[in-house]
Amino acid sequence: MPILPKKKVGLISCSGEELPAGTLSRMATLRVLEQLRPNDTVTLCLPLFLAGDDKERAFAKFYSTIAIDGCDKQCAARATEKYSAKPTTSIIIPEFLAEQDLAAPKTRRQMDAAGESAADALAAEIARNVDEILGVKPAAVVDTPITESEGVTATCSCGSGIPVMRLDIAGKGVEVVALPLIFEESHKDGKSPEQVFDAVKVYNVIPIELESAYREAILRAYAEFVPSEKHVE
Ligand code: SF4
């Protein structure tokens, strides 16, 4: 039976290369991923998301996300909402800097002192939102200094976010994206087997000629999952 992963918050920074705020978005996001909340966050790759990666989209559908955009075009927030689900929180950097009375960085390549301060403040704001979403008391997770021996790496949802389940379908081993989460959500909400299968189809491309084989394998796995379901922490 699957053991579901710890809930994490997905951070989606914009890909803006033309504006200093785009650089700021990525710098602050990296600080949160590597230093402030390494165990509670993953990054969602916006280009991969737009390219139609099932795992990225499934992650944003099931888990909370924070979009950090460099301008009011809000590419990260809009793409997330269009292809998966509305971000839990959306930060627009110029608005954030104005509210905090902070100066915007002047260049997009190198951060001056004002840019570094803005990146620190933005990272703290993202971390605060992560705590709020996860219901963690900030006092319990204040910025613990990271020693060299326990250095962390920012994790991308491509490799660690959304669980898959491998099923034997029509004689082949097939990875079904998000299946443990779909099972848990469906069981909690009292969904019918057909609704379970409909949810699976949202996140997985199922060849029409194999639809009945998929249905049979998935509903058999669901019947096995339900009695001994394990919940997310
Ligand atoms: S939100 Fe603004 S800065 Fe970011 S990618 Fe879109 S247009 Fe560029």
Side-chain angles (χ1 to χ4, degrees), residues 114-198:
E116 289 291 340
S117 299
D120 282 341
L122 180 59
E125 174 66 4
I126 298 168
R128 189 188 67 71
N129 277 283
V130 169
D131 294 341
E132 198 171 291
I133 289 167
L134 295 177
V136 178
K137 285 199 185 105
V141 288
V142 281
D143 312 341
T144 313
I146 297 168
T147 62
E148 285 220 7
S149 60
E150 60 178 12
V152 290
T153 314
T155 34
C156 180
S157 68
C158 312
S160 65
I162 204 80
V164 299
M165 189 186 285
R166 198 167 178 81
L167 298 179
D168 187 355
I169 300 177
K172 279 191 179 167
V174 177
E175 280 191 348
V176 186
V177 172
L179 199 55
L181 294 173
I182 291 171
F183 282 177
E184 192 199 47
E185 294 287 315
S186 300
H187 181 48
K188 198 170 64 192
D189 297 343
K191 296 269 173 67
S192 69
E194 216 41 52
Q195 286 173 313
V196 173
F197 188 57
D198 284 345

Side-chain angles (χ1 to χ4, degrees), residues 13-19 21-22 25-26 46 68-76 78:
S13 67
C14 81
S15 310
E17 288 291 342
E18 297 300 317
L19 300 176
S25 168
R26 291 188 293 283
L46 186 57
I68 305 110
D69 277 305
C71 76
D72 61 6
K73 289 192 174 139
Q74 291 188 266
C75 299
R78 285 172 44 230

Side-chain angles (χ1 to χ4, degrees), residues 9 38-39 48 50 53-54 62 110 128 153 165-166 187 207 213:
V9 176
N39 298 319
L48 194 56
L50 294 171
D53 184 87
D54 286 344
F62 282 99
Q110 283 193 322
R128 189 188 67 71
T153 314
M165 189 186 285
R166 198 167 178 81
H187 181 48

Side-chain angles (χ1 to χ4, degrees), residues 206-212:
I206 298 179
I208 189 80
E209 67 277 12
L210 291 177
E211 188 161 323
S212 65

